[in-house]
Amino acid sequence: GNSVTQMEGPVTLSEEAFLTINCTYTATGYPSLFWYVQYPGEGLQLLLKATKADDKGSNKGFEATYRKETTSFHLEKGSVQVSDSAVYFCALRKDSNYQLIWGAGTKLIIKP
Amino acid sequence: SAVISQKPSRDICQRGTSLTIQCQVDSQVTMMFWYRQQPGQSLTLIATANQGSEATYESGFVIDKFPISRPNLTFSTLTVSNMSPEDSSIYLCSVVEGSDGYTFGSGTRLTVV
């Protein structure tokens, strides 16, 4: 069936470090892929998305490329800030309906 | 994109009671989703609510425990019935706009004592 696997957290980095949060998926067809972010005490916000292979989603300095050959959608940022501390969720949308399949979430902690 | 007003934002309830969570959307949307997010975990879909039809529940969730109403295209409620401490969680509503636009309410943090 369809599933999303994220690297386990928490991930702890120093400010200005390079960030990668791995996300791989299993799906039939051609799903759309998403990264959502949940800041402490807040709701979920869409960070970026990609709807077809080789698409690159980007927002707020974050990027992720839809790699069909490796079934991956890794989240990257070149230089993280303390304000990036949050929980990041990878998700996919199945072809045939609008349900989202969620990864377990990765907590990111950025230390000054 | 749509704006969702979800309330209450948090509540502490006695076991055996029920709580109704409301989501109001500032535009008409066909599909609304209700999720549960248990502490430190990912989101689990409870049900999909379309206006004018019965909600579709995911495996492990039943209408008697989580009745849902969807009286029009801008509003929905989720009731958590006969609560136990295991129901302590964050409950979120979500809508989809267009092909890939998902918006979430700010969540209801429920504690059952």
Side-chain angles (χ1 to χ4, degrees):
Chain A
N2 300 297
S3 66
V4 176
T5 303
Q6 284 182 242
M7 65 189 295
E8 286 192 28
V11 172
T12 303
L13 296 172
S14 297
E15 206 165 20
E16 300 183 1
F18 184 86
L19 168 71
T20 300
I21 300 178
N22 290 338
C23 171
T24 57
Y25 68 90
T26 303
T28 55
Y30 301 91
S32 295
L33 301 172
F34 304 84
W35 277 100
Y36 279 84
V37 58
Q38 187 174 37
Y39 296 103
E42 298 185 18
L44 283 158
Q45 302 173 27
L46 176 65
L47 181 59
L48 53 84
K49 68 178 183 182
T51 58
K52 61 182 186 296
D54 299 325
D55 268 3
K56 177 184 284 188
S58 61
N59 186 25
K60 299 182 180 180
F62 290 89
E63 293 183 340
T65 302
Y66 188 143
R67 301 284 190 202
K68 191 159 180 66
E69 63 276 14
T70 54
T71 62
S72 65
F73 193 54
H74 304 324
L75 183 68
E76 297 181 336
K77 186 174 185 182
S79 176
V80 293
Q81 306 301 313
V82 172
S83 58
D84 294 326
S85 298
V87 180
Y88 292 81
F89 292 92
C90 186
L92 69 83
R93 178 178 76 83
K94 299 193 284 188
D95 288 344
S96 57
N97 60 52
Y98 287 99
Q99 290 186 22
L100 287 171
I101 308 297
W102 295 87
T106 303
K107 185 173 185 178
L108 175 65
I109 301 170
I110 306 300
K111 297 188 173 182
Chain B
S1 60
V3 175
I4 301 176
S5 174
Q6 183 174 343
K7 57 183 181 182
S9 59
R10 59 178 65 230
D11 207 341
I12 301 173
C13 300
Q14 297 291 322
R15 67 178 68 201
T17 62
S18 297
L19 175 71
T20 295
I21 301 166
Q22 300 179 3
C23 275
Q24 178 74 52
V25 190
D26 69 346
S27 59
Q28 294 185 335
V29 292
T30 303
M31 303 180 74
M32 292 185 73
F33 303 93
W34 286 97
Y35 287 91
R36 182 172 72 184
Q37 185 182 17
Q38 294 183 303
Q41 298 188 24
S42 187
L43 282 76
T44 301
L45 182 63
I46 297 172
T48 302
N50 290 330
Q51 191 269 335
S53 63
E54 292 286 327
T56 302
Y57 289 83
E58 297 299 305
S59 176
F61 297 96
V62 295
I63 188 171
D64 289 346
K65 175 68 175 177
F66 297 101
I68 288 171
S69 77
R70 184 81 203 275
N72 56 53
L73 291 172
T74 64
F75 187 78
S76 181
T77 67
L78 170 77
T79 299
V80 187
S81 303
N82 188 24
M83 288 184 285
S84 66
E86 291 72 33
D87 294 320
S88 297
S89 189
I90 298 173
Y91 293 85
L92 296 133
C93 63
S94 173
V95 301
V96 60
E97 305 171 85
S99 60
D100 289 301
Y102 297 86
T103 301
F104 286 83
S106 55
T108 297
R109 185 179 294 271
L110 170 63
T111 303
V112 183
V113 298

